[in-house]
Amino acid sequence: MEKNINKYIKEALSTLYSTDTTNLVIPVEVTREGIEGDFTVVVYSFTKFSKKSPEYTAKDLGVFIKSKFEDIASYNIIKGFLNIRMSPEYWISRLNQISLETKVLSDDSLLNHTMLIEFSSPNTNKPLHLGHIRNNLLGDSISRICAAAGIKVIRVNLINDRGIHICKSMLSWMKWGKNKTPKEKGVKGDKFVGDFYVLFEKNYKIQVAELINSGKTEEEAKTEAPLVLEARELLKKWEDGDPKVLKIWNMMNSWVYEGFEETYKSLGIYFDKVYYESQTYLLGKDIVLKGLSEGKFVKDPDSSIWIDLTDVGMDRKILLRSDGTTVYMTQDIGTAMQRFDDFDPDKMVYVVGNEQDYHFKVLKNIIACFNLERAQKIEHLSYGMVELPEGKMKSREGTVVDADDLIDEMIETAAKISEENGKIHELPDDEKHRIIKIIALGALKYYILKVDPKKQMVFNPNESIDFNGNTGPFIQYTHARICSVLRNAEKMKIKFNGKVSAETNMVDQEIELIAYLTRYNDSLVEAAKQYDPGIIANYVYGLVKEYNQYYHEYSILKETDSKIMQLRLSLSKNVAQVIKNAMDLLGIEVPEVM
């Protein structure tokens, strides 16, 4: 919020009421629509200093700051609210200052912190899908936002490359793959392996149904089906280091890694460090055994190891199976401890869907058994699931939408709409294809990131790529429009030095635009604190709406008053820059031509 107002009110309180304002918080808000003013100060808490009613306290403050500070144009009072109107000269000064600012003025509470953020974390038994896209886009955008706010961000990925699910894909390929490779089949590696996982589940369901028909209960059938028994035996061989099993595991994982990298590249995703479950699960196993020896965990008669959390309102959680094989929790324990040793972060943030809320509560309780300080640094960014209009996707049934297929579909739709609505067809083919991909990815990313992460959402591809409304292409088009104005100004040899004269006459819409620009910093800091890219998305959409309304009502290049033209060019240039900066925080490019 505006620091000048804080300073003015503190000086008024100190002078008028002899108040020590050193640690005083001044509640300043943007004045609500329909009320005259730019900033509103809530004065109720100041009556203890003035010994007067809220209205008379507000009047005292208003009279003082109006008489002392030239950038206060006027004020009005509504009950305990002091509404302050800034002078036109003040707003021009702020516009000129925005032009000079090169970095965000971060909240002090965010500075010098290290945040390790885990996102993506795929399994190597299937390709990345729409759900992974939301995870990756949230992790990438939050990393960008927090880094811009002054936090040292470490991006990490955990590849879940071992376990029963991976063994199911392996077993399926061993039975029905005929030694084929993705290259031989002309299929992307992660998609190729994912198809064998689906094939396993298809045949597994048939076996379960047959066992139920033979008199077994559903639970018995699921645990006694030959395929699942073979998969468990394969997992045991893997953990015992069987060379033949490890060779197949390495080969199939390499196929998947190549596929993942291709998808990450398309989305513009990168990581500072990649951890592998296969390299951390043994560390977790050692920690569990240590906890057992120290009495932190319990061993059941079947030799399985558990943590009992009933005293904190939870239940018992298995940490090692009776055959000594590990579970997801085991490797998460080891990975968490390894990361603390590697980076000693102030916060360790996991971007994982809300289906795992309980899992991370358990993880924090387990880590607290060994190191309470580390446990308190763990945060779970729990986000809602993403669905398609036709309903929930299911990996086991092969009904998921692959990330690559969705990106291709978005590019096809963007190409069609761009040809119909824009001037993109006049560009060389290479440039045309580049811009079409930028539009497609912008539509996809913005549609997902504008939604509060905590909320479940439905992704509608057709709605996302609309060139009107709260969409990525609408914002991108506004940026391209401003770039066109600036190019035309250059062609017309209009001299523009970026400096606006203090004597320039302004209309209300121009003041509102400048005020909106000044709120970018606050939006960024709030988004960093909340881990919510939607704050940035909705900020930039509001800015774009304000500018488009202004653009349609006031001429820029046909303006005859040179000072006003300078103002409008400066406003346009700064709006374009803030659009670019904000969209970059969402991982979205903004083209100069559309």
Side-chain angles (χ1 to χ4, degrees):
M1 197 51 65
E2 197 58 36
K3 292 184 178 180
N4 285 31
I5 304 301
N6 276 272
K7 184 175 69 175
Y8 297 166
I9 296 297
K10 283 189 175 184
E11 185 168 337
L13 290 169
S14 178
T15 303
L16 295 172
Y17 310 128
S18 300
T19 304
D20 180 5
T21 62
T22 305
N23 298 313
L24 191 63
V25 176
I26 308 296
V28 182
E29 304 170 353
V30 175
T31 302
R32 286 188 298 176
E33 191 173 347
I35 298 175
E36 184 180 352
D38 299 312
F39 300 103
T40 297
V41 179
V42 184
V43 305
Y44 288 101
S45 61
F46 306 147
T47 57
K48 61 186 176 184
F49 307 128
S50 66
K51 310 302 181 185
K52 297 179 181 180
S53 69
E55 290 85 349
Y56 278 103
T57 303
K59 184 177 180 180
D60 282 350
L61 298 173
V63 169
F64 181 89
I65 63 174
K66 173 70 173 66
S67 65
K68 190 169 179 63
F69 302 108
E70 292 183 355
D71 51 8
I72 305 294
S74 62
Y75 68 89
N76 67 81
I77 298 163
I78 301 177
K79 297 183 178 179
F81 299 89
L82 173 62
N83 305 303
I84 302 167
R85 184 80 168 180
M86 309 303 289
S87 69
E89 292 80 10
Y90 165 83
W91 288 116
I92 289 175
S93 173
R94 289 294 284 118
L95 178 61
N96 289 330
Q97 183 184 356
I98 290 169
S99 302
L100 297 173
E101 288 175 354
T102 57
K103 67 177 183 178
V104 169
L105 304 175
S106 179
D107 185 303
D108 290 342
S109 66
L110 301 175
L111 293 175
N112 302 317
H113 274 65
T114 299
M115 181 180 85
L116 185 146
I117 179 168
E118 176 195 295
F119 60 100
S120 196
S121 304
N123 294 326
T124 56
N125 67 326
K126 55 190 173 185
L128 302 177
H129 54 64
L130 178 55
H132 289 115
I133 286 181
R134 189 177 197 190
N135 181 298
N136 279 281
L137 297 186
L138 282 171
D140 177 61
S141 182
I142 292 162
S143 298
R144 291 168 182 263
I145 289 167
C146 289
I151 300 170
K152 180 183 177 182
V153 176
I154 302 163
R155 299 158 165 250
V156 302
N157 188 3
L158 172 66
I159 304 291
N160 297 294
D161 62 345
R162 59 160 296 282
I164 191 67
H165 297 305
I166 281 73
C167 288
K168 289 177 180 179
S169 295
M170 290 168 58
L171 181 63
S172 182
W173 180 83
M174 291 163 67
K175 284 181 170 292
W176 303 297
K178 300 178 181 179
N179 290 321
K180 294 293 183 181
T181 68
K183 187 175 182 180
E184 290 172 332
K185 299 289 289 186
V187 179
K188 192 161 166 277
D190 51 345
K191 172 69 173 170
F192 180 80
V193 173
D195 287 342
F196 281 103
Y197 178 69
V198 173
L199 183 60
F200 176 96
E201 290 295 333
K202 179 182 177 181
N203 285 281
Y204 172 58
K205 281 186 175 181
I206 292 172
Q207 290 184 351
V208 169
E210 289 173 349
L211 289 172
I212 291 173
N213 289 335
S214 69
K216 297 284 187 181
T217 66
E218 183 177 355
E219 188 62 31
E220 288 172 337
K222 285 181 176 180
T223 57
E224 296 175 17
L227 275 174
V228 79
L229 293 177
E230 286 184 78
R232 291 194 182 282
E233 180 60 27
L234 198 62
L235 176 61
K236 187 72 169 59
K237 288 181 178 180
W238 183 93
E239 294 203 2
D240 290 340
D242 185 295
K244 292 181 180 179
V245 173
L246 289 177
K247 183 178 180 180
I248 295 172
W249 172 78
N250 278 311
M251 177 181 66
M252 294 184 71
N253 275 346
S254 70
W255 296 339
V256 177
Y257 298 152
E258 288 179 9
F260 286 169
E261 283 305 313
E262 189 177 327
T263 307
Y264 289 142
K265 186 176 180 180
S266 293
L267 290 171
I269 303 295
Y270 73 91
F271 301 96
D272 298 308
K273 184 173 177 62
V274 177
Y275 289 87
Y276 297 88
E277 182 182 349
S278 58
Q279 297 172 2
T280 61
Y281 85 101
L282 287 177
L283 176 59
K285 191 172 185 178
D286 289 343
I287 293 171
V288 169
L289 292 175
K290 178 184 176 184
L292 179 65
S293 67
E294 294 174 351
K296 295 178 171 65
F297 308 136
V298 296
K299 179 183 282 190
D300 277 8
D302 66 354
S303 294
S304 58
I305 299 175
W306 301 70
I307 182 171
D308 189 345
L309 296 171
T310 53
D311 59 334
V312 292
M314 303 170 75
D315 57 15
R316 299 172 85 240
K317 180 71 176 179
I318 190 168
L319 303 178
L320 280 178
R321 297 188 184 95
S322 57
D323 61 2
T325 56
T326 59
V327 294
Y328 275 125
M329 183 61 72
T330 321
Q331 64 87 9
D332 272 351
I333 297 166
T335 306
M337 289 302 200
Q338 183 66 57
R339 289 171 180 167
F340 278 117
D341 291 340
D342 289 345
F343 299 105
D344 190 26
D346 297 292
K347 290 183 179 180
M348 187 184 291
V349 180
Y350 291 83
V351 182
V352 182
N354 57 19
E355 293 178 339
Q356 296 296 323
D357 285 352
Y358 185 80
H359 176 90
F360 285 98
K361 289 178 182 177
V362 174
L363 177 63
K364 289 188 71 170
N365 274 276
I366 293 172
I367 299 298
C369 291
F370 299 95
N371 191 313
L372 180 60
E373 182 182 357
R374 286 184 170 185
Q376 291 170 339
K377 293 179 178 180
I378 293 175
E379 296 184 21
H380 174 207
L381 198 164
S382 172
Y383 65 88
M385 295 295 102
V386 56
E387 299 179 0
L388 292 168
E390 53 267 29
K392 188 175 182 179
M393 302 175 291
K394 297 179 180 178
S395 297
R396 294 179 179 180
E397 297 176 10
T399 60
V400 300
V401 174
D402 286 353
D404 304 299
D405 294 340
L406 180 59
I407 291 171
D408 290 343
E409 179 186 334
M410 297 292 291
I411 290 173
E412 289 176 12
T413 305
K416 180 180 178 182
I417 295 176
S418 296
E419 288 286 354
E420 293 173 354
N421 295 345
K423 298 180 179 179
I424 199 169
H425 59 275
E426 299 173 357
L427 298 172
D429 284 346
D430 287 351
E431 182 66 4
K432 185 193 302 183
H433 293 150
R434 185 184 75 85
I435 291 175
I436 285 171
K437 186 174 181 181
I438 288 173
I439 294 169
L441 288 174
L444 172 65
K445 292 181 178 184
Y446 185 86
Y447 196 89
I448 287 176
L449 292 173
K450 71 179 181 179
V451 179
D452 183 335
K454 294 184 287 294
K455 294 182 179 178
Q456 186 165 314
M457 67 169 294
V458 175
F459 177 73
N460 188 317
N462 293 328
E463 284 184 6
S464 73
I465 212 158
D466 193 342
F467 275 63
N468 297 296
N470 191 5
T471 66
F474 173 66
I475 295 167
Q476 290 172 317
Y477 184 76
T478 301
H479 180 268
R481 165 182 278 169
I482 297 173
C483 290
S484 177
V485 169
L486 297 175
R487 283 195 301 271
N488 287 333
E490 189 175 342
K491 289 177 184 177
M492 294 167 65
K493 300 190 183 304
I494 295 172
K495 293 183 179 180
F496 171 56
N497 58 22
K499 197 76 173 176
V500 179
S501 170
E503 289 78 35
T504 307
N505 293 322
M506 291 195 298
V507 297
D508 286 345
Q509 289 93 325
E510 287 161 344
I511 291 175
E512 289 169 6
L513 264 177
I514 298 170
Y516 216 107
L517 288 169
T518 65
R519 294 200 286 274
Y520 172 65
N521 188 83
D522 292 329
S523 297
L524 171 53
V525 171
E526 188 62 24
K529 288 182 174 180
Q530 299 293 329
Y531 303 143
D532 184 1
I535 293 172
I536 297 295
N538 288 294
Y539 165 83
V540 72
Y541 174 59
L543 175 64
V544 163
K545 281 200 303 180
E546 289 274 353
Y547 181 83
N548 278 313
Q549 184 178 350
Y550 171 70
Y551 176 86
H552 288 299
E553 292 183 16
Y554 296 94
S555 173
I556 298 174
L557 299 181
K558 292 182 180 179
E559 175 56 51
T560 56
D561 186 312
S562 62
K563 290 181 180 179
I564 294 177
M565 181 183 285
Q566 289 289 316
L567 165 67
R568 293 179 181 174
L569 285 171
S570 181
L571 255 179
S572 298
K573 185 176 181 180
N574 278 288
V575 168
Q577 186 61 54
V578 171
I579 290 173
K580 184 176 181 179
N581 293 349
M583 293 293 268
D584 182 67
L585 296 178
L586 304 177
I588 298 172
E589 292 184 67
V590 282
E592 295 186 2
V593 179
M594 279 179 70

